[in-house]
Amino acid sequence: MAKQNVAEQFVDILTRAGVRRMYGVVGDSLNPVVDAIRRNAAIEWIQVRHEETAAFAAAAEAQVTGNLAACAGSCGPGNLHLINGLYDAHRSMAPVLALASHIPSHEIGLGYFQETHPDQLFRECSHYSEMISNPKQMPRLLQTAIQHAVGQQGVSVVTLPGDVADEQAPEKAAETSLVTSRPSIRPGDSDLEKLVKMVDEAEKVTLFCGSGTAGAHAEVMEFAEKVKSPVGHALRGKEWIQYDNPYDVGMSGLLGYGAAYEATHECDLLILLGTDFPYNAFLPDDVKIVQVDIRPEHLGRRSRLDLAVWGDVKETLRCLTPRVRPKNDRKFLDKMLKKHADALEGVVKAYTRKVEKHVPIHPEYVASVLDELADDDAVFTVDTGMCNVWAARYLSPNGRRRIIGSFSHGSMANALPHAIGAQFTDRNRQVVSMSGDGGFSMLMGDFLTLVQYDLPVKVVLFNNSSLGMVELEMLVAGLPSFGTGNKNPDFAAVARACGAYGVRVEKPKQLAGALKDAFKHKGPALVDVVTDPNALSIPPKISADMVTGFALSASKIVLDGGVGRMLQMARSNLRNVPRP
């Protein structure tokens, strides 16, 4: 067998861990690794135009597949560009291995050209960040990094000087077994007994669900039925819990709608399931609260808890549901379902009134039509800002669709690079980037990555020529909008100049046809939709405490926002509510 260098051994270990592609930009210190990838049929090098895109793309791939994904940056400025996307991956709990190549090892600490200290720089956005300074370190160190990323669900960073990557790897390196999946975690009996007692004693139970309910839809529904509980969700829980849910009362938080806020505040017992919901101002402080989470460091950091339960949601409910006494009184559940439907009835007209004549186009209308026309298994990637609002209120989950965004890190410009990573996992699956003009233009160069690889991503551009969420924040502070306007080109023309399909939509009647044509196009496509900059949104419940750090306004230009097909679900759920 031919001898390997460290780079070749590095790449072999990644492929054994299930990594099928590495996103990045080539550079001299990275050349040994890129060359090893070139000669390895099990892995593909994906050339992007900006390393930030590489990290976002890896994050999306990891979230879509559930497997380890990888990205890389060359020494100094190259790997520094990774940092924002890695923060997003880490806070989204996406297992990502980042390779930060480094200057020659004998020059470290001497102020060499492009010198940084990546093993230190990435520590805040990773579970593990270490440097390989000797070939004998590599197999065990990389294995440790992989197991941190997979086991703790987040980022690991390996720093590798280019000269070390080019050295001969030690012979007979141990081929260690790699951990590539996580176990289920069951709570202890004493915690389960306490939880059973609390559920049995409570008259009114509400469930509030986050991304930790992924894969536990059936268990949540079974438990909700047994205890007659309303079920609300956070934004990251929407795709996992809202569909086929006769107990749905909507979403709480800054983008919220429906009766989730009331359900969490009017119950006797609130059970937080797999959510690290960051906005404690929306959580009650006068009801009993239980939190169930697979990550113990999340327990109790948002609100006072009466019981902290360490376990994954699925296993916890499997153990809990058979033990609790069934509740027969539906009064609280039915009251919340009625409030939820009434709340949605009250705002639905915001996007249906004269939409066929309203110019600029209502963005709510764009999101509603997009929801209707997109595939049942589409992956939506969503820019931070007002696109988050439209996705939260208009995209209808069904158990097959995915909705990915920078929901915890809150970065601009995430939608396009997330779409790149999502599309590489399956070229035949529809991937739609819901981009704002501000976010899209920030990393617009990587639209060329779509063209280069003929990725059939469909970019739906909500083009209001402004940073809409920032304008709303300024309104709250009593400030005139300043520095928020964008002088944009015809983005459809830009797309065509890049070699992609591009169409501009300025009238509502053009929208459905333009989207259908773009979806039929086999390659990358961009639909530039000119939308109303005055279409802003507020949550259904606000207080002075909630204003801090977010845009809330009583201005007449602020709309409550519609809710799309969620109203149909709420009406359907009301059929089971007894009429007086």
Side-chain angles (χ1 to χ4, degrees):
M1 181 177 177
K3 293 181 179 180
Q4 290 184 311
N5 64 15
V6 170
E8 291 167 330
Q9 192 178 70
F10 186 98
V11 171
D12 278 349
I13 293 173
L14 283 185
T15 60
R16 288 200 292 113
V19 174
R20 293 294 170 258
R21 56 194 64 84
M22 179 177 277
Y23 303 87
V25 178
V26 297
D28 55 356
S29 60
L30 196 54
N31 287 346
V33 174
V34 175
D35 189 60
I37 291 173
R38 178 183 65 83
R39 292 179 282 107
N40 191 320
I43 188 170
E44 184 180 6
W45 174 258
I46 305 300
Q47 176 188 344
V48 296
R49 302 305 174 102
H50 195 296
E51 289 92 349
E52 184 176 348
T53 295
F56 274 124
E61 178 179 326
Q63 290 176 78
V64 170
T65 65
N67 300 325
L68 183 69
C71 58
S74 59
C75 64
N79 62 59
L80 280 177
H81 284 158
L82 294 170
I83 196 163
N84 191 50
L86 292 183
Y87 262 98
D88 173 74
H90 196 55
R91 299 194 67 186
S92 299
M93 296 187 290
V96 170
L97 189 288
L99 170 60
S101 68
H102 204 2
I103 63 172
S105 58
H106 59 276
E107 296 287 356
I108 294 172
L110 299 174
Y112 191 71
F113 176 65
Q114 295 189 323
E115 181 173 6
T116 59
H117 293 88
D119 54 316
Q120 299 175 37
L121 284 165
F122 291 102
R123 282 183 180 165
E124 190 176 332
C125 63
S126 66
H127 291 302
Y128 184 85
S129 181
E130 294 291 347
M131 182 171 70
I132 298 170
S133 56
N134 187 298
K136 292 181 180 179
Q137 282 179 278
M138 203 284 294
R140 286 185 299 155
L141 193 148
L142 181 55
Q143 177 195 9
T144 302
I146 289 169
Q147 292 181 178
H148 272 79
V150 173
Q152 296 186 39
Q153 295 290 278
V155 171
S156 283
V157 181
V158 174
T159 299
L160 180 61
D163 60 313
V164 177
D166 215 13
E167 288 185 30
Q168 183 176 318
E171 293 185 32
K172 299 182 180 179
E175 290 207 2
T176 51
S177 176
L178 294 168
V179 172
T180 56
S181 61
R182 301 184 72 190
S184 297
I185 296 179
R186 176 192 183 279
D189 287 336
S190 61
D191 286 339
L192 281 171
E193 289 171 7
K194 292 175 186 176
L195 183 51
V196 169
K197 186 173 185 291
M198 293 177 72
V199 172
D200 286 346
E201 290 177 350
E203 292 184 9
K204 299 178 291 184
V205 179
T206 292
L207 306 181
F208 187 68
C209 302
S211 61
T213 58
H217 185 275
E219 287 76 12
V220 173
M221 296 302 107
E222 182 183 4
F223 182 75
E225 168 57 29
K226 192 165 187 179
V227 301
K228 305 300 183 284
S229 169
V231 178
H233 59 268
L235 178 55
R236 291 192 66 202
K238 174 185 173 73
E239 62 179 322
W240 305 115
I241 214 68
Q242 188 190 36
Y243 68 95
D244 295 340
N245 181 354
Y247 319 101
D248 177 58
V249 291
M251 188 169 80
S252 189
L254 301 170
L255 311 183
Y257 54 82
Y261 183 91
E262 289 87 345
T264 57
H265 283 71
E266 296 179 23
C267 60
D268 301 320
L269 176 64
L270 173 61
I271 303 179
L272 306 174
L273 293 176
T275 178
D276 191 33
F277 182 69
Y279 306 110
N280 55 5
F282 287 87
L283 294 173
D285 55 14
D286 57 352
V287 305
K288 290 184 177 179
I289 301 178
V290 174
Q291 184 178 1
V292 179
D293 206 289
I294 197 170
R295 297 181 70 162
E297 67 270 23
H298 288 178
L299 296 171
R301 72 176 183 177
R302 306 300 185 197
S303 64
R304 171 199 53 78
L305 296 183
D306 294 276
L307 180 63
V309 179
W310 183 9
D312 69 60
V313 171
K314 188 168 189 172
E315 286 301 312
T316 299
L317 292 181
R318 280 180 173 177
C319 296
L320 177 65
T321 302
R323 301 188 188 193
V324 299
R325 292 196 299 268
K327 299 184 187 297
N328 298 315
D329 188 346
R330 286 183 54 104
K331 288 181 183 177
F332 177 61
L333 171 60
D334 292 343
K335 177 184 175 183
M336 291 300 114
L337 291 175
K338 180 68 165 58
K339 279 191 173 185
H340 180 59
D342 288 347
L344 299 194
E345 291 277 6
V347 300
V348 73
K349 291 180 182 178
Y351 80 98
T352 57
R353 190 185 303 115
K354 298 180 180 180
V355 292
E356 73 283 355
K357 297 180 181 179
H358 188 92
V359 177
I361 302 170
H362 279 310
E364 303 98 321
Y365 177 65
V366 180
S368 179
V369 174
L370 175 61
D371 180 55
E372 292 283 350
L373 296 180
D375 289 350
D376 288 341
D377 66 344
V379 179
F380 298 91
T381 62
V382 184
D383 259 343
T384 297
M386 297 311 297
C387 283
N388 270 198
V389 180
W390 316 137
R393 296 187 173 186
Y394 291 91
L395 296 185
S396 302
N398 56 13
R400 298 171 63 201
R401 285 178 165 182
R402 294 298 314 274
I403 305 171
I404 295 173
S406 187
F407 299 137
S408 295
H409 186 48
S411 173
M412 281 184 66
N414 64 284
L416 174 62
H418 272 159
I420 290 170
Q423 191 71 82
F424 266 114
T425 68
D426 185 351
R427 285 178 172 270
N428 295 316
R429 187 175 187 181
Q430 187 181 74
V431 176
V432 179
S433 173
M434 293 178 64
S435 297
D437 58 290
F440 179 77
S441 58
M442 184 177 282
L443 285 177
M444 186 167 61
D446 268 292
F447 189 78
L448 296 170
T449 301
L450 302 185
V451 176
Q452 180 162 333
Y453 289 95
D454 197 27
L455 287 176
V457 169
K458 313 307 177 191
V459 177
V460 179
L461 189 59
F462 289 71
N463 182 3
N464 62 3
S465 296
S466 71
L467 303 177
M469 191 67 78
V470 180
E471 284 195 357
L472 192 50
E473 291 167 349
M474 288 178 172
L475 282 173
V476 172
L479 301 172
S481 60
F482 180 77
T484 58
N486 294 328
K487 185 176 181 179
N488 290 327
D490 180 337
F491 286 110
V494 172
R496 293 193 295 271
C498 292
Y501 179 92
V503 60
R504 185 173 173 91
V505 177
E506 297 180 350
K507 297 180 180 179
K509 291 183 179 180
Q510 302 169 337
L511 179 63
L515 289 175
K516 288 177 182 177
D517 290 344
F519 289 163
K520 289 177 185 176
H521 183 70
K522 294 185 181 300
L526 184 145
V527 182
D528 180 8
V529 187
V530 180
T531 60
D532 186 353
N534 291 329
L536 306 174
S537 181
I538 58 174
K541 291 290 182 179
I542 62 174
S543 69
D545 289 341
M546 297 173 191
V547 171
T548 303
F550 186 70
L552 304 175
S553 176
S555 168
K556 291 182 180 180
I557 69 169
V558 176
L559 301 177
D560 281 334
V563 289
R565 287 191 284 179
M566 286 181 287
L567 176 60
Q568 299 172 19
M569 185 197 306
R571 288 170 175 166
S572 177
N573 289 343
L574 275 181
R575 294 171 188 166
N576 297 320
V577 176
R579 300 294 179 182

